[in-house]
Amino acid sequence: MASFTQIPRLGNSSRHPQSSRGRGGGRRYGQAQGNLSGEDSSANGQSKDWIVQQTDQDAINARISTAELGYIDDPYARIFAPKVDMRYQLLPGMNRGTYVRTMAIDLLVDAFLALSPHSSSDKLNTHPQSNRQIISLGAGSDTRYFRILASRAKNPSTPFCPLIYHELDFPENTTKKISSIRSSPDLSSLLHLSNGPPPEAYMPEDTAALYTQAYNIHPLDLRDLPNLPILPNLSRTAPTLLLSECCLIYLPDTSANAILLHLANTLFAPPVPLALALYEPIRPDDSFGRKMVSNLAERGIELQTLHKYASPDLQLERLRELGFAGGCGAADVNFLWERWVEQEEKERVGRLEWLDEIEEWRLMARHYCVTWGWRDGEGADIFWRWRTIERPGEGGDHIA
């Protein structure tokens, strides 16, 4: 999505060129993970889709930069972009932005997966709501599932709920991802694919899909989702978290809402516990936002729902209209850095690189937002941890 190369006053966003950056230097601090632009089925519509698909390269470049400088722990990012120059780095403000985005979504995911304090390990495989399910829309080269597996492997004595993970993206992106997984001993080992897929796995001959009982990669256009049959291995009863990191924003509002309504009312109808976490740019109407939109347009990128959901308050209203009545929160990245990151961690991050343009960083950070909401179900309190997460009051969505 929105690259910091496309944001005013920063100039060249990287400190070293690299050979496979895709168009325009790439998406940085608001990167999308590869999906959709309009509903046009013509050659022009296909071209727009291709432009959006290429933003996945920008996303993985940003993760590589932040991981190799020590902002985040992600040993798997480079597997999906082996040709990126080892010296490739983003500017400090962009690295910090990618760090905050990753930290915030990780926190929400970890809170969703957290066992209730009243849970016991002997009930994990028998209680109907002991499982959890995550569906990542436009996942691209995202490494979150592998990082979850690695974390659990490091803490084998810690009880955890069984997880079903689904990734949805264009076939062009899923094919590349599956190829990278199969060629990596580390990832194949995590998925037990090193000696071939496990007995319950299904890998179609076209290699664009991967289906197992725990991890599934679905090659599809999200615009077709409401008209497709039930996806393989999808649980329609497990508590489910939907993730959209700069994905739905490429769609017309009617299409984006149709997808979310189909998920919320048809695939996971009440009383199934359901949550949604969004990461999107906001505030397109100030001078900074207008320049950001203009620069993205030069790359052929249109953020089609940006003006309708242009503030954290409007994002909150969006989730309430979708039925997420258990609770909602929305905060810009500046708030997340100030309130969700502990002081000791701020000091650690600050030592990684010198960030001298603090006001510029705050300005950029106010133009990206994380929104989260949930709908309770019957029985277990799935979202008990989400209720404890600090939320700004409406109209107070940033730190001045």
Side-chain angles (χ1 to χ4, degrees):
M1 213 276 347
S3 160
F4 269 16
T5 58
Q6 312 304 321
I7 289 177
R9 298 189 298 150
L10 281 182
N12 186 2
S13 66
S14 65
R15 291 181 286 190
H16 191 279
Q18 48 95 4
S19 58
S20 57
R21 292 175 59 183
R23 288 173 58 96
R27 173 193 62 201
R28 296 301 185 284
Y29 174 57
Q31 63 263 55
Q33 293 177 330
N35 227 325
L36 318 189
S37 69
E39 295 181 292
D40 186 359
S41 61
S42 66
N44 181 59
Q46 294 173 1
S47 175
K48 289 181 178 179
D49 285 351
W50 182 86
I51 291 172
V52 175
Q53 291 169 33
Q54 303 315 300
T55 64
D56 182 55
Q57 182 65 55
D58 306 324
I60 202 64
N61 289 351
R63 293 196 63 81
I64 289 171
S65 179
T66 53
E68 296 190 352
L69 286 168
Y71 285 86
I72 61 175
D73 181 15
D74 189 349
Y76 308 112
R78 183 164 287 283
I79 293 172
F80 296 105
K83 296 182 180 179
V84 174
D85 193 301
M86 291 294 289
R87 296 167 292 176
Y88 177 77
Q89 293 180 7
L90 302 180
L91 294 176
M94 304 166 208
N95 285 321
R96 182 174 292 190
T98 301
Y99 161 80
V100 176
R101 174 238 187 108
T102 302
M103 174 278 304
I105 300 298
D106 282 355
L107 185 149
L108 291 169
V109 169
D110 291 345
F112 170 71
L113 296 176
L115 294 172
S116 165
H118 304 295
S119 301
S120 60
S121 58
D122 60 340
K123 295 181 180 179
L124 287 181
N125 294 314
T126 59
H127 194 283
Q129 293 187 352
S130 62
N131 290 353
R132 298 288 190 277
Q133 181 169 249
I134 294 176
I135 300 177
S136 180
L137 307 178
S141 299
D142 186 49
T143 61
R144 179 164 284 108
Y145 180 68
F146 302 104
R147 292 188 289 116
I148 291 172
L149 289 186
S151 175
R152 291 182 169 190
K154 291 178 183 177
N155 302 280
S157 62
T158 302
F160 55 82
C161 52
L163 173 62
I164 311 165
Y165 204 98
H166 298 268
E167 297 181 351
L168 283 56
D169 210 332
F170 281 119
E172 293 83 353
N173 286 343
T174 63
T175 298
K176 290 189 293 184
K177 185 165 195 174
I178 291 171
S179 176
S180 296
I181 292 170
R182 293 303 302 267
S183 63
S184 165
D186 289 341
L187 298 186
S188 293
S189 177
L190 283 172
L191 296 180
H192 306 295
L193 296 179
S194 53
N195 296 313
E200 74 276 7
Y202 170 58
M203 300 182 70
E205 292 184 2
D206 63 9
T207 70
L210 170 63
Y211 304 129
T212 78
Q213 292 180 356
Y215 180 56
N216 300 271
I217 300 177
H218 305 275
L220 56 86
D221 185 327
L222 285 182
R223 290 166 291 199
D224 298 330
L225 185 61
N227 302 315
L228 294 176
I230 301 301
L231 300 176
N233 299 317
L234 187 76
S235 170
R236 300 185 65 181
T237 58
T240 296
L241 169 61
L242 310 173
L243 297 177
S244 174
E245 299 184 55
C246 287
C247 170
L248 296 176
I249 197 166
Y250 293 116
L251 283 169
D253 181 54
T254 53
S255 298
N257 272 352
I259 292 167
L260 292 175
L261 287 171
H262 177 70
L263 290 165
N265 297 337
T266 302
L267 288 184
F268 309 109
V272 175
L274 184 68
L276 171 64
L278 298 165
Y279 175 81
E280 294 186 348
I282 55 172
R283 299 189 173 103
D285 296 318
D286 60 15
S287 60
F288 188 97
R290 288 192 298 270
K291 184 61 176 176
M292 177 179 67
V293 170
S294 173
N295 288 341
L296 288 169
E298 291 178 2
R299 291 184 63 197
I301 296 175
E302 181 183 1
L303 309 179
Q304 300 199 53
T305 64
L306 175 58
H307 286 85
K308 182 164 185 178
Y309 307 116
S311 71
D313 285 352
L314 290 172
Q315 292 278 11
L316 285 173
E317 182 180 339
R318 176 189 197 180
L319 264 63
R320 292 184 182 122
E321 290 178 351
L322 289 166
F324 292 97
C328 295
D332 66 30
V333 165
N334 192 43
F335 178 96
L336 298 173
W337 167 258
E338 296 291 344
R339 299 294 180 85
W340 285 21
V341 181
E342 298 289 344
Q343 183 59 37
E344 183 178 351
E345 177 67 359
K346 286 192 183 79
E347 293 172 359
R348 183 193 72 82
V349 170
R351 289 192 294 269
L352 296 175
E353 294 184 286
W354 176 252
L355 179 63
D356 53 356
E357 297 292 341
I358 299 299
E359 292 307 315
E360 186 173 81
W361 147 252
R362 289 175 177 167
L363 180 62
M364 290 186 291
R366 291 191 65 239
H367 284 78
Y368 294 86
C369 178
V370 173
T371 308
W372 65 100
W374 69 93
R375 181 186 74 201
D376 292 307
E378 298 176 349
D381 185 6
I382 303 300
F383 301 107
W384 66 280
R385 282 275 299 276
W386 278 37
R387 301 180 201 282
T388 68
I389 295 173
E390 182 177 2
R391 295 177 267 172
E394 293 187 48
D397 47 78
H398 66 280
I399 303 296

